[in-house]
Amino acid sequence: MNENPNKTKIILSYIISLLGLIFVNTEKDASETDRAHFAQAGTIFIVEIAVSVISGIIAALQVPFVGTILGLIPTALLVLAIIAAVKASNGEYFKIPVIDDLSKKIFGKKTV
């Protein structure tokens, strides 16, 4: 069986999304699929930071209900990242809706 040497890094990058951002920029010898995993995990980190900043602004403006809805986004991303990590452990690629497309725009086209 051909075991992916980056499997552990891929799984960790989904769990700790900052690692995905680091690995997508440092692992130049990784396969395109591995780089797509790293890019997707890094995009999760970027989206979480953006949502956090927007939530802070919304909280400061005291806009009702919007903060609650924005608070659900990180939870949904965590669930999707766990699904992607499980799929990656089985050698599969899980395209997280919206995040996959956004990662291609941020980090360039990945072939998966």
Side-chain angles (χ1 to χ4, degrees):
M1 179 178 261
N2 188 8
E3 187 69 23
N4 185 347
N6 289 322
K7 182 190 274 190
T8 304
K9 288 180 182 179
I10 291 168
I11 293 168
L12 283 174
S13 69
Y14 279 119
I15 295 168
I16 306 169
S17 57
L18 175 60
L19 291 177
L21 192 60
I22 293 169
F23 291 147
V24 75
N25 291 309
T26 59
E27 295 292 320
K28 300 300 180 191
D29 60 338
S31 71
E32 286 299 314
T33 303
D34 293 352
R35 290 186 49 73
H37 281 292
F38 296 143
Q40 191 166 242
T43 302
I44 289 172
F45 178 74
I46 292 168
V47 169
E48 287 173 342
I49 295 297
V51 167
S52 177
V53 169
I54 293 168
S55 291
I57 292 169
I58 297 296
L61 296 174
Q62 297 180 350
V63 179
F65 303 112
V66 177
T68 304
I69 293 169
L70 286 176
L72 297 175
I73 293 173
T75 305
L77 287 175
L78 176 63
V79 169
L80 291 170
I82 290 170
I83 292 169
V86 170
K87 294 275 190 178
S89 71
N90 294 326
E92 301 173 40
Y93 181 77
F94 176 67
K95 291 184 178 186
I96 299 175
V98 180
I99 297 295
D100 184 63
D101 295 332
L102 190 57
S103 72
K104 289 176 183 174
K105 290 179 183 175
I106 294 172
F107 297 105
K109 180 142 177 62
K110 309 289 182 260
T111 57
V112 176

XYZ file of all heavy atoms in Angstrom:
844
model
N 0.846 -1.179 0.000
C 0.000 0.000 0.000
C 0.893 1.243 0.000
O 1.854 1.340 0.737
C -0.917 -0.024 1.224
C -1.809 1.184 1.324
S -2.897 1.087 2.751
C -4.353 0.508 1.928
N 0.539 2.213 -0.823
C 1.310 3.439 -0.948
C 0.769 4.476 0.031
O -0.241 5.107 -0.216
C 1.228 3.943 -2.398
C 2.159 5.105 -2.646
O 2.964 5.456 -1.797
N 2.048 5.683 -3.814
N 1.454 4.659 1.135
C 1.025 5.578 2.186
C 1.526 6.986 1.879
O 2.687 7.186 1.543
C 1.568 5.106 3.537
C 1.061 5.867 4.715
C -0.409 5.630 4.997
O -0.938 4.591 4.581
O -1.018 6.493 5.621
N 0.648 7.964 2.020
C 0.997 9.362 1.770
C 1.875 9.875 2.910
O 1.456 9.875 4.065
C -0.284 10.203 1.655
C -0.012 11.636 1.277
O 1.115 12.116 1.324
N -1.058 12.324 0.892
N 3.094 10.358 2.602
C 3.980 10.840 3.671
C 3.463 12.117 4.332
O 3.883 12.458 5.442
C 5.308 11.090 2.950
C 4.939 11.277 1.521
C 3.708 10.439 1.290
N 2.554 12.830 3.687
C 2.021 14.077 4.233
C 0.680 13.899 4.944
O 0.046 14.882 5.327
C 1.864 15.124 3.124
C 3.191 15.640 2.629
O 4.113 15.822 3.402
N 3.288 15.866 1.338
N 0.240 12.653 5.119
C -1.084 12.405 5.706
C -1.233 13.059 7.082
O -2.236 13.700 7.366
C -1.355 10.910 5.807
C -2.745 10.605 6.374
C -2.916 9.131 6.698
C -3.365 8.373 5.495
N -3.780 6.989 5.815
N -0.233 12.905 7.918
C -0.302 13.490 9.262
C -0.365 15.007 9.187
O -1.148 15.634 9.906
C 0.915 13.049 10.101
O 0.961 11.624 10.127
C 0.826 13.585 11.513
N 0.425 15.603 8.299
C 0.404 17.057 8.149
C -0.958 17.536 7.651
O -1.447 18.578 8.080
C 1.488 17.510 7.174
C 2.879 17.403 7.721
C 3.883 17.882 6.696
C 5.298 17.738 7.201
N 6.269 18.172 6.195
N -1.559 16.775 6.748
C -2.871 17.150 6.213
C -3.918 17.118 7.318
O -4.691 18.056 7.489
C -3.270 16.221 5.049
C -2.368 16.471 3.840
C -4.735 16.419 4.679
C -2.484 15.425 2.754
N -3.927 16.044 8.084
C -4.908 15.918 9.167
C -4.703 17.021 10.202
O -5.659 17.665 10.636
C -4.828 14.514 9.802
C -5.285 13.460 8.785
C -5.672 14.435 11.075
C -4.986 12.040 9.178
N -3.458 17.264 10.589
C -3.179 18.333 11.546
C -3.561 19.707 11.003
O -4.013 20.567 11.747
C -1.705 18.324 11.943
C -1.277 17.254 12.929
C 0.234 17.282 13.125
C -1.983 17.430 14.258
N -3.385 19.898 9.698
C -3.716 21.204 9.122
C -5.213 21.464 9.142
O -5.639 22.619 9.233
C -3.157 21.333 7.703
O -3.817 20.482 6.810
N -6.021 20.419 9.067
C -7.467 20.612 9.191
C -7.861 20.881 10.642
O -8.762 21.659 10.913
C -8.242 19.406 8.660
C -8.381 19.395 7.161
C -7.857 18.365 6.405
C -9.049 20.417 6.498
C -7.984 18.346 5.024
C -9.186 20.410 5.121
C -8.649 19.378 4.396
O -8.780 19.376 3.034
N -7.178 20.238 11.583
C -7.502 20.428 12.993
C -6.984 21.775 13.498
O -7.674 22.488 14.218
C -6.935 19.260 13.835
C -7.642 17.968 13.424
C -7.102 19.523 15.321
C -7.005 16.718 13.961
N -5.762 22.122 13.115
C -5.161 23.420 13.467
C -4.956 24.152 12.150
O -3.905 24.013 11.508
C -3.824 23.227 14.217
C -4.017 22.321 15.423
C -3.238 24.581 14.617
C -2.732 21.861 16.062
N -5.945 24.902 11.732
C -5.974 25.450 10.384
C -4.808 26.378 10.065
O -4.434 26.527 8.906
C -7.304 26.144 10.121
O -7.531 27.155 11.075
N -4.189 26.979 11.068
C -3.010 27.807 10.821
C -1.895 26.984 10.173
O -1.154 27.484 9.320
C -2.515 28.439 12.130
C -1.224 29.243 12.052
C -1.371 30.413 11.090
C -0.815 29.730 13.424
N -1.789 25.713 10.546
C -0.779 24.844 9.949
C -0.995 24.686 8.442
O -0.039 24.602 7.681
C -0.777 23.476 10.630
C -0.276 23.437 12.064
C -0.403 22.032 12.627
C 1.144 23.935 12.149
N -2.263 24.648 8.021
C -2.548 24.566 6.585
C -1.990 25.761 5.851
O -1.409 25.629 4.767
N -2.129 26.930 6.436
C -1.593 28.155 5.846
C -0.070 28.099 5.776
O 0.533 28.508 4.779
C -2.051 29.356 6.671
C -1.845 30.732 6.085
C -2.594 30.881 4.771
C -2.312 31.787 7.066
N 0.551 27.552 6.801
C 2.010 27.413 6.811
C 2.459 26.372 5.788
O 3.361 26.621 4.979
C 2.508 27.042 8.227
C 2.266 28.209 9.182
C 3.980 26.631 8.209
C 2.459 27.873 10.644
N 1.806 25.203 5.790
C 2.233 24.117 4.904
C 2.018 24.441 3.431
O 2.808 24.031 2.584
C 1.522 22.808 5.251
C 1.930 22.212 6.571
C 1.016 21.507 7.336
C 3.217 22.339 7.057
C 1.371 20.948 8.550
C 3.593 21.799 8.275
C 2.663 21.091 9.021
N 0.957 25.160 3.098
C 0.713 25.469 1.688
C 1.831 26.358 1.141
O 2.127 26.331 -0.057
C -0.682 26.102 1.463
C -0.730 27.548 1.910
C -1.107 25.993 -0.004
N 2.480 27.112 2.020
C 3.557 27.995 1.584
C 4.947 27.387 1.737
O 5.899 27.907 1.155
C 3.489 29.317 2.362
C 2.280 30.128 1.958
O 2.041 30.354 0.781
N 1.493 30.538 2.926
N 5.085 26.308 2.507
C 6.414 25.742 2.743
C 6.633 24.385 2.089
O 7.770 24.043 1.786
C 6.690 25.603 4.253
O 5.703 24.764 4.842
C 6.695 26.964 4.934
N 5.591 23.609 1.886
C 5.730 22.258 1.331
C 5.686 22.310 -0.195
O 4.683 21.997 -0.813
C 4.621 21.345 1.868
C 4.678 21.107 3.349
C 5.885 20.288 3.753
O 6.245 19.332 3.035
O 6.470 20.609 4.797
N 6.793 22.702 -0.790
C 6.840 22.863 -2.245
C 6.914 21.524 -2.990
O 6.562 21.435 -4.149
C 8.031 23.739 -2.652
C 7.983 25.131 -2.057
C 6.744 25.881 -2.476
C 6.732 27.270 -1.873
N 5.483 27.959 -2.006
N 7.376 20.471 -2.334
C 7.493 19.173 -2.982
C 6.256 18.295 -2.785
O 6.221 17.154 -3.231
C 8.739 18.436 -2.484
C 8.716 18.186 -0.984
O 7.993 18.917 -0.278
O 9.425 17.271 -0.528
N 5.224 18.831 -2.148
C 3.990 18.069 -1.917
C 3.223 17.917 -3.229
O 3.340 18.748 -4.129
C 3.119 18.779 -0.884
N 2.425 16.858 -3.316
C 1.618 16.643 -4.517
C 0.533 17.715 -4.612
O 0.254 18.426 -3.651
C 0.978 15.255 -4.475
O -0.044 15.220 -3.496
N -0.070 17.823 -5.785
C -1.128 18.822 -5.977
C -2.316 18.563 -5.052
O -2.928 19.495 -4.548
C -1.589 18.839 -7.442
C -0.596 19.492 -8.370
C -0.338 20.949 -8.028
O -1.312 21.704 -7.790
O 0.833 21.344 -7.981
N -2.626 17.288 -4.821
C -3.720 16.958 -3.906
C -3.380 17.387 -2.483
O -4.223 17.970 -1.794
C -4.020 15.446 -3.942
O -4.318 15.063 -5.277
C -5.191 15.109 -3.039
N -2.151 17.126 -2.058
C -1.730 17.543 -0.720
C -1.769 19.059 -0.597
O -2.239 19.603 0.398
C -0.323 17.034 -0.408
C -0.251 15.524 -0.295
O -1.321 14.878 -0.305
O 0.868 14.994 -0.204
N -1.296 19.754 -1.624
C -1.316 21.221 -1.602
C -2.758 21.735 -1.584
O -3.049 22.749 -0.954
C -0.543 21.800 -2.779
C 0.971 21.589 -2.645
C 1.800 22.267 -3.706
N 1.498 23.660 -3.950
C 1.803 24.675 -3.135
N 2.406 24.436 -1.989
N 1.513 25.910 -3.466
N -3.663 21.036 -2.249
C -5.074 21.435 -2.223
C -5.643 21.276 -0.818
O -6.411 22.132 -0.358
C -5.879 20.608 -3.230
N -5.256 20.196 -0.131
C -5.669 20.019 1.269
C -5.141 21.178 2.121
O -5.884 21.767 2.898
C -5.118 18.712 1.844
C -5.866 17.485 1.452
N -7.149 17.221 1.879
C -5.493 16.423 0.698
C -7.538 16.053 1.387
N -6.550 15.547 0.669
N -3.847 21.471 1.972
C -3.237 22.543 2.760
C -3.909 23.886 2.462
O -4.167 24.677 3.372
C -1.732 22.643 2.492
C -0.935 21.440 2.904
C 0.137 21.006 2.145
C -1.251 20.729 4.058
C 0.891 19.912 2.517
C -0.497 19.621 4.449
C 0.571 19.213 3.667
N -4.188 24.137 1.184
C -4.826 25.396 0.791
C -6.227 25.508 1.379
O -6.629 26.570 1.862
C -4.876 25.501 -0.732
N -6.953 24.417 1.346
C -8.307 24.426 1.892
C -8.276 24.680 3.411
O -9.053 25.482 3.935
C -9.002 23.105 1.574
C -10.466 23.101 1.855
C -11.183 21.919 1.233
O -12.040 22.126 0.403
N -10.866 20.697 1.618
N -7.352 24.036 4.110
C -7.227 24.244 5.555
C -6.765 25.670 5.859
O -7.262 26.304 6.798
C -6.247 23.231 6.154
N -5.842 26.187 5.074
C -5.391 27.568 5.257
C -6.501 28.568 5.012
O -6.595 29.593 5.697
N -7.353 28.271 4.054
C -8.497 29.142 3.769
C -9.469 29.140 4.945
O -10.057 30.179 5.269
C -9.190 28.707 2.475
O -8.234 28.738 1.408
C -10.336 29.629 2.125
N -9.630 28.006 5.585
C -10.478 27.952 6.787
C -9.936 28.922 7.827
O -10.692 29.673 8.449
C -10.553 26.519 7.350
C -11.386 25.641 6.429
C -11.130 26.514 8.768
C -11.370 24.169 6.796
N -8.608 28.950 8.001
C -8.006 29.865 8.974
C -8.299 31.316 8.598
O -8.694 32.120 9.451
C -6.491 29.635 9.054
C -5.795 30.566 9.989
C -5.911 30.401 11.360
C -5.034 31.618 9.514
C -5.279 31.259 12.238
C -4.405 32.485 10.383
C -4.514 32.300 11.748
N -8.130 31.657 7.339
C -8.368 33.025 6.879
C -9.828 33.416 7.101
O -10.121 34.516 7.580
C -7.971 33.171 5.391
C -6.449 33.026 5.246
C -8.449 34.498 4.822
C -5.978 32.866 3.811
N -10.750 32.519 6.781
C -12.179 32.804 6.960
C -12.505 32.964 8.447
O -13.278 33.859 8.824
C -13.050 31.706 6.305
C -14.503 31.834 6.708
C -12.905 31.764 4.793
N -11.926 32.123 9.289
C -12.172 32.244 10.727
C -11.689 33.584 11.265
O -12.375 34.207 12.086
C -11.485 31.103 11.483
C -12.171 29.770 11.307
C -11.413 28.607 11.908
O -10.186 28.750 12.162
O -12.017 27.561 12.128
N -10.543 34.058 10.813
C -10.033 35.364 11.241
C -10.966 36.470 10.752
O -11.315 37.386 11.507
C -8.596 35.587 10.726
C -7.634 34.596 11.361
C -8.142 37.027 10.974
C -7.495 34.709 12.866
N -11.384 36.395 9.488
C -12.277 37.413 8.938
C -13.609 37.446 9.689
O -14.117 38.527 10.025
C -12.511 37.151 7.450
N -14.166 36.281 9.959
C -15.434 36.213 10.697
C -15.250 36.766 12.112
O -16.131 37.465 12.630
C -15.981 34.770 10.724
C -17.114 34.615 11.727
C -16.451 34.363 9.337
N -14.125 36.496 12.722
C -13.856 36.997 14.065
C -13.800 38.529 14.075
O -14.377 39.172 14.963
C -12.535 36.421 14.570
O -12.213 36.941 15.828
N -13.136 39.103 13.092
C -13.050 40.561 13.008
C -14.434 41.162 12.758
O -14.833 42.130 13.418
C -12.052 40.983 11.898
C -12.148 42.477 11.606
C -10.637 40.600 12.295
N -15.168 40.584 11.833
C -16.511 41.082 11.527
C -17.422 40.936 12.747
O -18.211 41.840 13.052
C -17.091 40.360 10.298
C -16.297 40.745 9.048
C -18.567 40.686 10.114
C -16.589 39.900 7.828
N -17.309 39.824 13.456
C -18.112 39.622 14.669
C -17.802 40.676 15.720
O -18.699 41.164 16.410
C -17.861 38.236 15.257
O -18.374 37.247 14.432
N -16.535 41.025 15.842
C -16.145 42.060 16.791
C -16.745 43.407 16.433
O -17.219 44.147 17.306
N -16.743 43.720 15.151
C -17.333 44.982 14.701
C -18.839 44.977 14.941
O -19.403 45.954 15.438
C -17.007 45.223 13.210
C -15.506 45.477 13.050
C -17.811 46.398 12.659
C -15.024 45.459 11.623
N -19.485 43.873 14.605
C -20.930 43.754 14.803
C -21.273 43.858 16.287
O -22.251 44.505 16.673
C -21.458 42.426 14.218
C -21.251 42.384 12.697
C -22.909 42.181 14.580
C -22.013 43.414 11.915
N -20.454 43.234 17.131
C -20.703 43.297 18.577
C -20.550 44.730 19.088
O -21.320 45.184 19.936
C -19.748 42.366 19.320
N -19.550 45.445 18.563
C -19.350 46.831 18.987
C -20.510 47.714 18.550
O -20.871 48.660 19.255
C -18.046 47.364 18.419
N -21.098 47.404 17.408
C -22.240 48.182 16.907
C -23.548 47.724 17.538
O -24.585 48.338 17.305
C -22.329 48.074 15.387
C -21.147 48.659 14.603
C -21.301 48.354 13.122
C -21.027 50.151 14.844
N -23.505 46.629 18.264
C -24.668 46.053 18.946
C -25.822 45.762 17.986
O -26.977 46.098 18.257
C -25.122 46.955 20.085
C -24.072 47.104 21.154
C -24.508 48.002 22.295
O -25.519 48.674 22.219
N -23.724 47.997 23.353
N -25.492 45.123 16.870
C -26.513 44.706 15.907
C -27.094 43.381 16.388
O -26.360 42.402 16.546
C -25.917 44.553 14.492
C -26.962 44.092 13.506
C -25.281 45.861 14.044
N -28.405 43.329 16.633
C -28.994 42.094 17.167
C -29.033 40.964 16.138
O -29.185 41.205 14.950
C -30.412 42.520 17.565
C -30.704 43.713 16.735
C -29.388 44.394 16.473
N -28.878 39.757 16.601
C -29.015 38.497 15.871
C -27.887 38.226 14.863
O -27.607 37.072 14.573
C -30.368 38.391 15.151
C -31.533 38.526 16.076
C -32.360 39.638 16.006
C -31.792 37.569 17.034
C -33.424 39.781 16.864
C -32.865 37.698 17.900
C -33.689 38.810 17.822
N -27.276 39.236 14.304
C -26.220 39.016 13.313
C -25.018 38.347 13.971
O -24.415 37.442 13.396
C -25.816 40.340 12.630
C -24.672 40.126 11.654
C -27.012 40.957 11.916
N -24.685 38.769 15.170
C -23.576 38.158 15.888
C -23.811 36.689 16.177
O -22.894 35.877 16.110
N -25.048 36.347 16.467
C -25.398 34.948 16.715
C -25.208 34.111 15.461
O -24.650 33.011 15.511
C -26.852 34.832 17.202
O -27.018 35.655 18.351
C -27.206 33.401 17.534
N -25.648 34.637 14.349
C -25.502 33.917 13.076
C -24.029 33.788 12.708
O -23.581 32.712 12.288
C -26.296 34.631 11.971
C -27.793 34.533 12.273
C -25.985 34.040 10.605
C -28.666 35.411 11.409
N -23.261 34.867 12.878
C -21.827 34.798 12.596
C -21.118 33.825 13.528
O -20.123 33.211 13.153
C -21.195 36.186 12.701
C -21.496 37.151 11.574
C -20.886 38.523 11.871
C -20.984 36.631 10.250
N -21.643 33.662 14.728
C -21.056 32.721 15.679
C -21.205 31.270 15.267
O -20.459 30.403 15.720
N -22.144 30.990 14.397
C -22.351 29.623 13.915
C -21.344 29.229 12.835
O -21.090 28.042 12.630
C -23.769 29.470 13.373
C -24.895 29.655 14.390
C -26.249 29.592 13.681
C -24.810 28.615 15.482
N -20.768 30.207 12.153
C -19.849 29.912 11.052
C -18.619 29.133 11.523
O -18.273 28.111 10.916
C -19.476 31.198 10.290
C -20.714 31.736 9.580
C -18.349 30.944 9.291
C -20.531 33.092 8.926
N -17.915 29.571 12.588
C -16.756 28.779 13.029
C -17.113 27.347 13.441
O -16.342 26.415 13.204
C -16.200 29.569 14.217
C -16.680 30.957 14.002
C -18.011 30.824 13.340
N -18.287 27.166 14.034
C -18.725 25.824 14.413
C -18.940 24.954 13.176
O -18.510 23.796 13.130
C -20.013 25.891 15.248
O -19.791 26.738 16.368
C -20.436 24.518 15.723
N -19.579 25.531 12.175
C -19.799 24.799 10.919
C -18.468 24.478 10.251
O -18.281 23.359 9.735
C -20.682 25.620 9.988
N -17.535 25.419 10.274
C -16.216 25.171 9.679
C -15.466 24.069 10.425
O -14.777 23.260 9.804
C -15.390 26.455 9.660
C -15.812 27.501 8.638
C -14.992 28.772 8.812
C -15.680 26.971 7.224
N -15.617 24.034 11.738
C -14.974 22.978 12.524
C -15.525 21.608 12.137
O -14.763 20.659 11.925
C -15.163 23.229 14.017
C -14.617 22.136 14.945
C -13.111 22.019 14.801
C -15.006 22.421 16.377
N -16.829 21.509 12.018
C -17.451 20.235 11.634
C -16.974 19.818 10.240
O -16.603 18.658 10.019
C -18.993 20.343 11.691
C -19.648 19.130 11.056
C -19.459 20.525 13.121
N -16.962 20.761 9.310
C -16.519 20.446 7.946
C -15.037 20.091 7.910
O -14.624 19.209 7.147
C -16.823 21.612 7.013
C -18.307 21.848 6.747
C -18.522 23.168 6.022
C -18.907 20.700 5.953
N -14.223 20.755 8.734
C -12.795 20.433 8.790
C -12.575 19.029 9.348
O -11.698 18.302 8.877
C -12.058 21.465 9.635
N -13.377 18.631 10.324
C -13.257 17.276 10.872
C -13.642 16.253 9.813
O -12.967 15.228 9.658
C -14.108 17.129 12.143
C -13.490 17.950 13.283
C -14.241 15.661 12.551
C -14.355 18.078 14.509
N -14.699 16.526 9.068
C -15.090 15.622 7.980
C -13.962 15.522 6.957
O -13.606 14.422 6.509
C -16.400 16.100 7.318
C -17.568 15.955 8.285
C -16.666 15.335 6.018
C -18.848 16.638 7.818
N -13.378 16.665 6.594
C -12.283 16.670 5.617
C -11.071 15.914 6.150
O -10.400 15.197 5.392
C -11.908 18.101 5.257
N -10.783 16.039 7.446
C -9.649 15.326 8.046
C -9.878 13.817 8.018
O -8.960 13.049 7.719
C -9.417 15.811 9.474
N -11.093 13.388 8.314
C -11.415 11.957 8.277
C -11.294 11.428 6.847
O -10.724 10.364 6.615
C -12.817 11.693 8.860
C -13.256 10.270 8.608
C -12.835 12.008 10.351
N -11.832 12.189 5.900
C -11.720 11.777 4.490
C -10.252 11.714 4.073
O -9.842 10.799 3.361
C -12.475 12.749 3.583
C -13.966 12.753 3.775
C -14.587 11.669 2.957
C -16.103 11.848 2.974
N -16.760 10.864 2.156
N -9.461 12.713 4.502
C -8.037 12.730 4.152
C -7.304 11.539 4.741
O -6.387 10.995 4.127
C -7.396 14.032 4.623
N -7.708 11.099 5.930
C -7.062 9.932 6.538
C -7.334 8.664 5.737
O -6.570 7.709 5.811
C -7.521 9.751 7.984
O -8.862 9.317 8.038
N -8.424 8.689 4.956
C -8.748 7.558 4.072
C -8.246 7.779 2.651
O -8.594 7.016 1.756
C -10.265 7.339 4.052
C -10.802 6.884 5.386
O -10.125 6.152 6.102
N -11.987 7.328 5.732
N -7.470 8.836 2.436
C -6.903 9.103 1.122
C -7.849 9.809 0.164
O -7.596 9.856 -1.026
N -8.927 10.361 0.677
C -9.909 11.044 -0.161
C -9.779 12.556 0.001
O -9.183 13.036 0.961
C -11.330 10.632 0.231
C -11.599 9.152 0.115
C -12.953 8.774 0.675
O -13.913 9.540 0.461
O -13.041 7.746 1.351
N -10.343 13.294 -0.955
C -10.371 14.756 -0.877
C -11.818 15.197 -0.768
O -12.642 14.864 -1.617
C -9.725 15.376 -2.117
C -9.699 16.878 -2.094
C -8.772 17.548 -1.309
C -10.590 17.625 -2.837
C -8.744 18.930 -1.265
C -10.567 19.005 -2.811
C -9.635 19.660 -2.024
O -9.609 21.022 -1.982
N -12.142 15.936 0.283
C -13.486 16.440 0.516
C -13.500 17.928 0.186
O -12.812 18.717 0.831
C -13.897 16.211 1.972
C -15.241 16.777 2.331
C -16.395 16.262 1.779
C -15.347 17.826 3.223
C -17.640 16.793 2.114
C -16.578 18.358 3.577
C -17.728 17.838 3.010
N -14.268 18.283 -0.832
C -14.377 19.688 -1.210
C -15.381 20.370 -0.291
O -16.580 20.122 -0.379
C -14.834 19.827 -2.662
C -13.806 19.386 -3.658
C -14.270 19.645 -5.070
C -13.183 19.218 -6.030
N -13.519 19.562 -7.406
N -14.869 21.215 0.590
C -15.741 21.961 1.492
C -16.410 23.051 0.674
O -15.727 23.843 0.018
C -14.937 22.560 2.666
C -14.290 21.446 3.484
C -15.833 23.438 3.532
C -13.376 21.933 4.579
N -17.746 23.088 0.688
C -18.460 24.091 -0.108
C -17.971 25.503 0.215
O -17.707 25.844 1.351
C -19.921 23.914 0.321
C -20.000 22.533 0.877
C -18.653 22.246 1.460
N -17.835 26.298 -0.793
C -17.390 27.692 -0.744
C -15.898 27.780 -0.405
O -15.154 28.498 -1.068
C -18.230 28.560 0.223
C -17.745 29.994 0.248
C -19.704 28.510 -0.134
N -15.436 27.055 0.594
C -14.033 27.117 1.023
C -13.116 26.612 -0.088
O -12.069 27.211 -0.346
C -13.819 26.302 2.318
C -14.637 26.892 3.467
C -12.344 26.216 2.686
C -14.242 28.274 3.893
N -13.497 25.542 -0.768
C -12.669 25.000 -1.839
C -12.502 26.012 -2.958
O -11.381 26.244 -3.429
C -13.264 23.693 -2.369
C -12.379 23.049 -3.409
O -11.240 22.671 -3.052
O -12.812 22.934 -4.568
N -13.592 26.637 -3.377
C -13.514 27.642 -4.437
C -12.688 28.842 -3.992
O -11.888 29.380 -4.764
C -14.916 28.097 -4.855
C -15.722 26.975 -5.494
O -15.111 26.066 -6.090
O -16.956 27.006 -5.388
N -12.886 29.268 -2.766
C -12.147 30.392 -2.235
C -10.656 30.074 -2.139
O -9.806 30.918 -2.435
C -12.710 30.776 -0.864
C -12.230 32.077 -0.242
C -12.503 33.260 -1.165
C -12.920 32.290 1.089
N -10.318 28.851 -1.760
C -8.908 28.462 -1.660
C -8.235 28.479 -3.022
O -7.065 28.839 -3.136
C -8.754 27.088 -1.002
O -9.174 26.053 -1.861
N -8.967 28.116 -4.067
C -8.407 28.167 -5.424
C -8.138 29.604 -5.843
O -7.167 29.890 -6.531
C -9.352 27.484 -6.405
C -9.392 25.985 -6.220
C -10.396 25.334 -7.128
C -10.459 23.838 -6.845
N -11.499 23.168 -7.597
N -9.009 30.520 -5.422
C -8.798 31.936 -5.746
C -7.623 32.519 -4.966
O -6.879 33.328 -5.486
C -10.068 32.736 -5.464
C -11.185 32.433 -6.427
C -12.424 33.224 -6.093
C -13.552 32.828 -7.045
N -14.818 33.484 -6.687
N -7.468 32.113 -3.725
C -6.411 32.660 -2.879
C -5.046 32.068 -3.234
O -4.063 32.786 -3.396
C -6.711 32.431 -1.389
C -7.938 33.225 -0.974
C -5.497 32.802 -0.526
C -8.433 32.910 0.420
N -4.983 30.743 -3.348
C -3.695 30.065 -3.495
C -3.406 29.567 -4.916
O -2.395 28.954 -5.158
C -3.615 28.881 -2.522
C -3.676 29.297 -1.098
C -4.826 29.100 -0.355
C -2.602 29.912 -0.492
C -4.910 29.484 0.966
C -2.663 30.310 0.837
C -3.810 30.102 1.565
N -4.306 29.801 -5.837
C -4.115 29.345 -7.203
C -4.828 28.036 -7.447
O -5.219 27.343 -6.521
N -4.989 27.700 -8.699
C -5.765 26.505 -9.078
C -5.053 25.253 -8.611
O -3.865 25.060 -8.847
C -5.938 26.466 -10.584
C -6.720 25.259 -11.058
C -7.612 25.621 -12.183
C -8.349 24.421 -12.740
N -9.215 23.772 -11.828
N -5.792 24.409 -7.954
C -5.305 23.094 -7.515
C -6.076 22.032 -8.285
O -7.264 22.141 -8.475
C -5.512 22.890 -6.016
C -4.996 24.007 -5.155
C -3.486 24.020 -5.137
C -2.947 25.097 -4.251
N -2.499 26.284 -4.884
N -5.387 21.023 -8.736
C -6.053 19.982 -9.515
C -6.521 18.871 -8.616
O -5.767 17.991 -8.242
C -5.080 19.415 -10.573
O -3.924 18.941 -9.917
C -4.702 20.462 -11.594
N -7.770 18.910 -8.231
C -8.375 17.828 -7.450
C -9.814 17.731 -7.876
O -10.501 18.679 -8.083
C -8.277 18.089 -5.933
C -9.002 17.012 -5.173
C -6.827 18.127 -5.524
